[in-house]
Every structure is written in structure tokens, then in C-alpha cells.
């Protein structure tokens, strides 16, 4: 079942687990290849019924409200990445010796013989930004490329569509990697590792192991974070092709086989002729937007993958200059009375918030939301010296407040006992009261948004709207 030949799929009985953004396209593609497709879905809401009607009209069987039972005669399961490995459907499949693929595995198996190689990126934080930077660098080198995976066009569209690519910049989550056993990238990067999604993976070890799958079978370079030893450990554990190299990135001066920063310049000591003695200038720190430390690290990782693919130094500089950050990622909203207001609503976990807080010297921090099992002691201890004040909102704000009492008792804290959407305006007004000229009021919640907002975008929008009201 490894090639795109329709005959391989004709009559194969494939169960697609989950509708959603990956399940619907997977079902359509498999049906188009001649497979007998049955979609099973836990939910039976209006959206699911709408999607089911669309698929049923094509001749695809859909079972709503029954994601646990294995359809009789199933030859293969293709699952949405978010479905947990311990679901009864998968337990039954494993007992019957039935393979389980994710959408990434399906896309990998359906690539044509002349398919574009993949430059792959994972990590707890920074994946999307790094992949977008990488795509811009590759485009600046004149290569036909796209940012795919969790962003941009779907992987299935990229490998099956009419567009011909030279190389793909692929963002992969730990969920997707778990269900992609045969993926083999040209080169790959793990940006960082911090506790996240542990409820899904079961343990930090299992989470790290799934991230580490991205290095399996790499041909040219395994890119790791020098400041995060866990990423280097994953490289050491990986089974790669002969000649594949470990390439580190660091915010400090790089050693041989590393990319780093010297006197405000991003430099390459990995993909140069004499890496013991020489270095190649790639770009200036000021070419990276915003030039926050974690974002410079993202840029170095993107540059390493591009250089592994043979991209010239000038393309790294031009690509980074062309890159525009997504909304709600450490985005400057406005200056009011000499205070900068910055929206990093995308900082939905402690690791992302820590990187955001490290970018500024004197901060009034707006934080809180759904903690997803996280603890905040380490984050608060590391950031305490930077905090002028804190405004807390959201369902799990008490967890942050307790960490502040333990590690930053001198910092004034406003605890807004609210989880309504209007709380954001009150939070911004309180932050303004605490801030003085030269400070940054930073929305970096370290928590998910769903207790108060539909998503982190809506939370960031509410913050920006509240800031505009201040300046009105």
C-alpha cells in the first residue's frame, strides 16, 4: 500500500478515525483512490452531521457518535492526529494486527516517485514561526516551496496536487509524529522540549520519544538546540542515514558544526568548507522580527535547515527580511504614555511565556487561563526580576498567584476574579495603572484560552481592542 497506484487501494477497507480538518480530506483522497472508506467519529453535533452529509453524498460511509467500535473487515486505520493512542478503537486494531496511520503517514506514503524532500520542524514552541521563516528563506533562494503540516496548505494537497515543489517546509506536532512511523525527512529540527500534552502522551519520556521520531532516517542534518540538552539526546538516539550530521544552534558564539550569534550577526560554522577555522555571515540580528531571543533561535534553526538543503547565505538574509510574524506572536500593539503593549496570546504554555518574558526588561504581566496541568514555579522564579507587576485573569489564575507568593513576593499582583470576556479590558486598565514609562505590558498568559475565549486569537484581539481604548 506504499505507492500512489490506485490498484493498491482498490477495494481496501480503510477506517478513517475522526472528521475534522484532517479526517475529511483523508476520507476524500482514499475514496478517490478506490478504497472502501468508513469514517467513525465520537461526536454527533451539527458540524459533524454537516461534514457527514458531504461525505455520504460521495458514497463514503460515516458512523457518528461511535468512535470506539472497529468496523468489521478493516484493513487499515487512518486517524486524526489528536486521537489518543489508548482509545478502544486502536486497542482493538492492534489486537487484530491492523496498522494505524496518521494523516502525515498517509501523505508520506502517497508521495510520487519524484516527490519533493521534506525539511521538518517540531518542538514544544516556535514550530509555526520557524517553518514560515524556512519557507521564506527557500523562496528567496528561488526554490518552489510551501509551508505545510499544521499550517498553510494540507500535506495531502501538497503531495497530491498539481503544483510541483522542489522542497517542503513541514511543521509536525508530537501527535502527528506518533502516527507517522515511516516518515524519513531530508533534514529535521527539534527546537525545544518542555512538558506539554502529557495527558495525551502519558509521560514526558513518551512525549520526547514522539518528538524524536522526526530525526529517524534523516539524510543530511539533525538540527538541535545547544541550550536544550534533551534535543541533543534525541539526535544521539536517532537511527540516521550514513553521513547525516548533528548541527546545533545557539544564541552564543557557535562552535564547529553549529550556527550562532557573534556581535549581532547570525553566523554558520556548520555548512562551510573549513568549519574549524571559518564562519559564514548569514544575516544581522536586526533582520529577525521581532529580535527577541527565542525568535533569533527560531531563525537560526530555519537557517540551519535551509543551509542543509544547500541554500546560499544571501537567501537566509533575504528570507528573514521577507518574513512577517503571525498575529498574536509577540506583536507590538501600541505605545501609550511611554508604555509598550505587546500581544503574545499565542504563549499558551509556560515554556512559551518564559521565552516571551525573557524578551523585555521591565514588565507588567497579564497572565492566566486554563493551565492544562502545568505548574508555574519555575516560570515565575526565572522571570521574577523582570516583573514590575502582574494582573491575573482566568480559571486557573490561583496557580500563578501561589507561585508569585513563593518566588516573587515583592511584586504587586492584581487578581481579577473574572472569567468573562470583558475581563480583558479591566486587566489592561489595571496593567496601565501599574506600569511606568519604559515598561512593557505583556499579554503572555502561559495558559490556554478556552475558559474565556474561543481561541488564543480572540484573546489577543480582545487585548488589542482594550489597548486601543486606552489610547483613544
Amino acid at each position: 500500500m506504499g505507492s500512489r497506484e490506485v490498484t493498491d487501494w482498490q477495494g481496501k477497507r480503510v477506517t478513517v478515525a475522526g472528521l475534522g480538518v484532517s479526517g475529511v480530506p483523508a476520507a476524500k483522497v482514499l475514496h478517490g483512490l478506490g478504497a472502501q472508506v468508513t469514517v467513525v467519529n465520537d461526536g454527533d453535533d451539527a458540524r459533524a452531521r454537516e461534514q457527514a452529509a458531504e461525505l455520504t453524498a460521495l458514497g463514503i460511509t460515516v458512523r457518528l457518535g461511535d468512535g470506539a467500535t472497529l468496523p468489521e473487515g478493516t484493513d487499515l486505520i487512518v486517524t486524526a492526529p489528536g486521537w489518543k493512542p489508548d482509545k478502544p478503537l486502536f486497542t482493538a486494531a492492534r489486537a487484530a494486527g491492523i496498522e494505524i496511520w496518521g494523516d502525515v503517514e498517509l501523505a508520506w506514503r502517497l508521495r510520487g516517485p519524484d516527490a519533493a524532500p521534506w525539511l521538518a520542524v517540531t518542538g514544544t514552541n516556535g514550530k509555526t514561526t520557524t517553518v514560515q521563516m524556512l519557507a521564506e528563506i527557500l523562496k528567496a533562494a528561488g526554490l518552489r516551496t510551501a509551508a505545510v503540516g499544521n499550517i498553510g496548505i494540507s500535506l495531502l494537497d501538497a503531495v497530491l496536487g498539481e503544483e510541483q515543489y522542489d522542497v517542503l517546509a513541514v511543521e509536525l506536532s508530537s501527535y502527528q509524529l506518533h502516527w507517522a512511523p515511516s516518515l524519513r525527512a531530508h533534514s529535521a529540527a527539534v527546537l525545544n522540549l518542555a512538558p506539554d500534552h502529557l495527558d495525551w502522551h502519558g509521560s514526558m519520556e513518551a512525549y520526547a520519544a514522539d518528538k524524536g521520531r522526526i530525526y529517524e532516517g534523516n539524510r543530511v542534518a539533525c538540527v538541535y538546540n545547544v541550550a536544550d540538552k534533551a534535543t541533543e539526546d534525541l539526535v544521539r538516539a536517532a537511527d540516521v542515514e550514513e553521513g547525516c550530521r548533528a548541527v546545533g544552534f545557539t544564541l552564543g558564539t557557535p562552535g564547529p558544526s553549529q550556527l550562532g550569534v557573534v556581535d549581532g550577526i547570525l553566523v554558520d560554522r556548520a555548512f562551510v568548507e573549513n568549519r574549524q577555522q571559518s564562519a559564514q555571515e548569514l544575516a544581522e540580528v536586526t533582520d529577525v522580527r521581532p529580535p527577541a531571543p527565542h525568535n533569533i533561535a527560531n531563525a537560526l534553526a530555519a537557517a540551519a535547515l535551509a543551509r542543509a538543503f544547500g541554500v546560499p547565505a544571501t537567501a537566509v538574509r533575504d528570507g528573514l527580511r521577507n518574513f512577517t510574524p503571525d498575529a498574536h506572536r509577540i506583536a507590538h500593539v501600541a505605545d501609550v504614555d511611554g508604555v509598550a503593549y505587546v500581544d503574545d496570546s499565542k504563549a499558551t504554555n509556560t515554556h512559551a511565556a518564559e521565552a516571551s518574558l525573557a524578551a523585555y526588561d521591565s514588565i507588567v504581566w497579564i497572565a492566566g487561563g486554563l493551565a492544562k496541568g502545568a505548574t508555574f514555579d519555575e516560570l515565575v522564579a526565572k522571570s521574577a526580576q523582570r516583573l514590575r507587576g502582574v494582573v491575573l485573569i482566568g480559571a486557573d489564575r490561583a496557580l500563578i498567584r501561589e507561585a508569585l507568593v513563593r518566588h516573587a513576593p515583592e511584586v504587586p499582583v492584581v487578581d481579577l476574579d473574572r472569567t468573562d470576556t470583558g475581563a480583558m479590558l479591566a486587566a489592561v486598565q489595571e496593567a496601565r495603572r501599574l506600569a511606568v514609562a519604559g515598561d512593557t505590558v505583556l499579554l503572555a498568559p502561559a495558559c490556554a484560552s478556552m475558559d474565556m475565549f474561543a481561541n488564543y486569537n480572540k484573546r489577543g484581539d480582545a487585548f488589542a481592542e482594550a489597548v486601543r481604548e486606552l489610547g483613544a
Side-chain angles (χ1 to χ4, degrees):
M1 291 173 65
S3 95
R4 197 190 291 187
E5 288 299 313
V6 173
T7 49
D8 279 353
W9 293 92
Q10 205 71 42
K12 288 281 182 191
R13 287 166 296 190
V14 183
T15 295
V16 173
L19 285 162
V21 292
S22 64
V24 171
K28 288 179 178 176
V29 164
L30 290 162
H31 176 72
L33 292 170
Q36 288 180 25
V37 180
T38 300
V39 181
V40 298
N41 195 65
D42 285 335
D44 185 11
D45 54 18
R47 176 80 179 122
R49 285 194 286 274
E50 187 183 311
Q51 291 175 317
E54 180 190 355
L55 295 177
T56 305
L58 297 173
I60 295 168
T61 304
V62 182
R63 299 199 327 209
L64 295 178
D66 181 17
T69 312
L70 182 67
E72 201 170 322
T74 297
D75 296 313
L76 172 73
I77 291 178
V78 175
T79 180
W83 280 42
K84 290 172 74 167
D86 61 1
K87 285 185 83 77
L89 177 73
F90 301 143
T91 305
R94 282 188 287 266
I98 297 166
E99 278 193 282
I100 306 167
W101 299 357
D103 58 328
V104 170
E105 180 74 11
L106 180 63
W108 181 255
R109 301 271 193 139
L110 290 177
R111 297 169 316 129
D114 303 317
W118 293 12
L119 299 175
V121 177
T122 195
T124 305
N125 293 300
K127 295 184 291 291
T128 300
T129 298
T130 302
V131 165
Q132 289 171 329
M133 286 176 167
L134 174 58
E136 288 295 343
I137 293 168
L138 296 168
K139 284 176 193 166
L143 295 164
R144 295 170 301 174
T145 191
V148 298
N150 289 323
I151 53 172
I153 63 170
S154 82
L155 261 173
L156 281 170
D157 286 343
V159 300
L160 295 175
E162 296 301 308
E163 183 91 25
Q164 295 295 305
Y165 295 106
D166 298 311
V167 58
L168 292 173
V170 187
E171 176 187 338
L172 297 172
S173 71
S174 54
Y175 299 167
Q176 290 171 314
L177 287 161
H178 180 89
W179 299 118
S182 67
L183 167 67
R184 299 293 181 265
H186 173 286
S187 299
V190 180
L191 303 175
N192 43 60
L193 273 176
D196 202 14
H197 307 303
L198 300 193
D199 53 341
W200 195 95
H201 292 277
S203 70
M204 187 63 195
E205 291 72 24
Y207 173 61
D210 280 333
K211 288 289 192 192
R213 286 180 181 225
I214 203 166
Y215 290 134
E216 288 299 313
N218 280 198
R219 299 206 308 272
V220 176
C222 295
V223 177
Y224 68 93
N225 183 347
V226 174
D228 191 335
K229 185 177 179 297
T231 65
E232 186 176 358
D233 292 342
L234 293 177
V235 176
R236 292 185 190 283
D239 185 8
V240 299
E241 285 199 15
E242 189 72 33
C244 181
R245 293 168 51 206
V247 174
F249 63 90
T250 172
L251 293 177
T253 303
S257 286
Q258 294 180 353
L259 281 73
V261 182
V262 179
D263 296 333
I265 307 287
L266 275 59
V267 299
D268 173 3
R269 287 191 68 189
F271 302 100
V272 289
E273 290 239 338
N274 181 1
R275 54 182 183 267
Q276 297 301 327
Q277 267 86 40
S278 62
Q280 171 69 55
E281 293 188 6
L282 299 175
E284 295 186 18
V285 163
T286 51
D287 292 324
V288 181
R289 286 175 301 164
H294 68 285
N295 212 38
I296 295 164
N298 294 337
L300 288 164
L305 290 172
R307 294 285 283 165
F309 198 69
V311 161
T314 51
V316 175
R317 180 198 65 207
D318 294 345
L320 291 175
R321 286 178 179 174
N322 293 340
F323 167 71
T324 306
D326 276 356
H328 313 299
R329 282 180 169 79
I330 208 158
H332 182 267
V333 175
D335 288 317
V336 180
D337 299 331
V339 174
Y341 289 79
V342 174
D343 166 15
D344 199 15
S345 183
K346 180 66 169 68
T348 57
N349 56 41
T350 55
H351 191 266
E354 183 186 316
S356 195
L357 288 159
Y360 304 98
D361 293 325
S362 184
I363 301 163
V364 177
W365 181 29
I366 300 177
L370 286 178
K372 299 185 299 180
T375 56
F376 298 91
D377 288 275
E378 186 180 346
L379 169 63
V380 171
K382 283 185 177 176
S383 309
Q385 298 303 310
R386 301 172 181 275
L387 299 177
R388 181 179 297 281
V390 180
V391 181
L392 296 174
I393 56 174
D396 292 331
R397 64 190 180 281
L399 296 172
I400 306 176
R401 185 179 65 238
E402 289 156 14
L404 286 160
V405 168
R406 285 190 288 271
H407 304 287
E410 308 299 314
V411 176
V413 177
V414 177
D415 188 337
L416 287 177
D417 185 13
R418 296 173 60 173
T419 54
D420 61 289
T421 51
M424 187 60 81
L425 177 58
V428 168
Q429 289 168 338
E430 290 292 346
R432 181 188 199 176
R433 189 175 58 74
L434 291 168
V436 301
D439 285 352
T440 298
V441 170
L442 176 65
L443 173 69
C447 292
S449 58
M450 286 78 76
D451 57 331
M452 295 170 63
F453 301 94
N455 50 48
Y456 73 79
N457 296 294
K458 292 277 190 281
R459 179 169 62 187
D461 290 342
F463 174 78
E465 183 59 39
V467 172
R468 280 191 284 274
E469 288 198 28
L470 288 189

